[in-house]
Amino acid sequence: MASSETRSPGSGSGLGVGSGSVRPVSKAAAAYASLRKSIRVGDLEPGERVTLKRLSEHLGMSLTPVREALSRLESEGFVVHDPHRGTSIAELTPARIEQVYRLRGVLEPMAVRLAGERATPADIDRLRELVLACDEATTPLEVVENNEDLHLAIYRLSGDSLLLGFIDQLWAGMPYPSLGLYGSQSRVSQSSQEHHRIVEAMAEGRLDDAAETMRLHIDHGRAAALKNLDAD
């Protein structure tokens, strides 16, 4: 009997701490990872209705693994199912934004502190390159993607796979492109300054400062997200 597993570079988490080796995952896990990424990057927008048939055709999979993936996403709050309206991507609400950013404000400063304890000079140089990539981004989507690359690179340095898993769960369900966080130049400039301060504090061993700056950075993002949601 043919194996039900496929080969995939990972589970879809942007925060994997492994060596990047190829690992076998089930078709349901592959469908879950693909759909969760589509939610995170905004390809599947908040409130958008989806059908099992449409998603199965898009992923090139049978109905069963996609159904399992949707069930898992529903249990995690990424999609909602209404008996009368069907299945849709979870709406962004002020309460959800507050919840996600509140937890990020606790976990991510912790990851920064751990990362600072482990970071080598080469690691710091790489983080500086990622900060510059954020500064040089020319479109809002590019800013969002480069920002994610920087944050995840910092958190991977913590070496704490359990902590990374929790952070990944928070990032995965929040479609940052849809929030329009970097639509204003003032927010882009503020974020850039905070990125520089975080990395330089890590480089100098000022880990309390690095963690506190990350906490403020996340809180400023929360305020911008709520403001943009209210404007919509």
Side-chain angles (χ1 to χ4, degrees), residues 15-231:
L15 287 160
V17 292
S19 62
S21 59
V22 175
R23 295 171 293 174
V25 296
S26 69
K27 290 181 179 179
Y32 166 83
S34 180
L35 292 174
R36 200 173 73 158
K37 180 180 179 181
S38 293
I39 294 171
R40 186 177 77 248
V41 302
D43 289 340
L44 291 173
E45 298 182 349
E48 180 178 348
R49 293 187 186 182
V50 295
T51 65
L52 188 59
K53 182 176 184 295
R54 170 193 159 199
L55 294 177
S56 297
E57 291 174 349
H58 175 71
L59 295 173
M61 295 184 179
S62 64
L63 298 179
T64 299
V66 178
R67 183 182 293 110
E68 292 179 18
L70 282 176
S71 178
R72 181 176 172 186
L73 289 166
E74 182 180 3
S75 72
E76 295 173 348
F78 297 147
V79 303
V80 294
H81 179 75
D82 183 280
H84 303 292
R85 300 183 60 194
T87 301
S88 60
I89 307 304
E91 294 274 10
L92 283 176
T93 64
R96 182 173 179 82
I97 289 173
E98 289 280 10
Q99 182 184 47
V100 168
Y101 275 89
R102 181 170 61 249
L103 292 172
R104 284 188 58 193
V106 173
L107 298 180
E108 292 177 38
M110 187 186 307
V112 168
R113 191 183 300 275
L114 292 172
E117 293 173 354
R118 294 165 50 92
T120 66
D123 292 329
I124 295 298
D125 286 343
R126 175 56 181 157
L127 295 181
R128 286 173 174 147
E129 291 175 358
L130 292 172
V131 169
L132 290 177
C134 289
D135 294 345
E136 294 169 357
T138 57
T139 67
L141 181 58
E142 189 177 9
V143 172
V144 168
E145 292 174 341
N146 291 356
N147 175 73
E148 182 173 342
D149 288 344
L150 171 62
H151 277 258
L152 304 192
I154 293 173
Y155 305 150
R156 287 190 191 101
L157 291 175
S158 74
D160 189 324
S161 60
L162 184 60
L163 178 59
L164 292 176
F166 288 135
I167 294 174
D168 177 52
Q169 188 78 358
L170 295 172
W171 277 72
M174 188 60 61
Y176 291 98
S178 300
L179 291 174
L181 292 179
Y182 301 101
S184 71
Q185 187 56 45
S186 62
R187 175 56 191 152
V188 172
S189 177
Q190 180 186 52
S191 180
S192 172
Q193 293 172 17
E194 291 163 351
H195 286 159
H196 282 275
R197 288 202 295 268
I198 290 166
V199 172
E200 293 312 311
M202 290 174 62
E204 297 169 9
R206 295 183 288 106
L207 303 187
D208 287 344
D209 289 345
E212 176 60 13
T213 303
M214 179 61 80
R215 187 192 67 77
L216 290 173
H217 179 61
I218 292 168
D219 192 56
H220 293 155
R222 177 195 61 81
L226 289 171
K227 180 179 179 181
N228 291 340
L229 185 66
D230 185 60

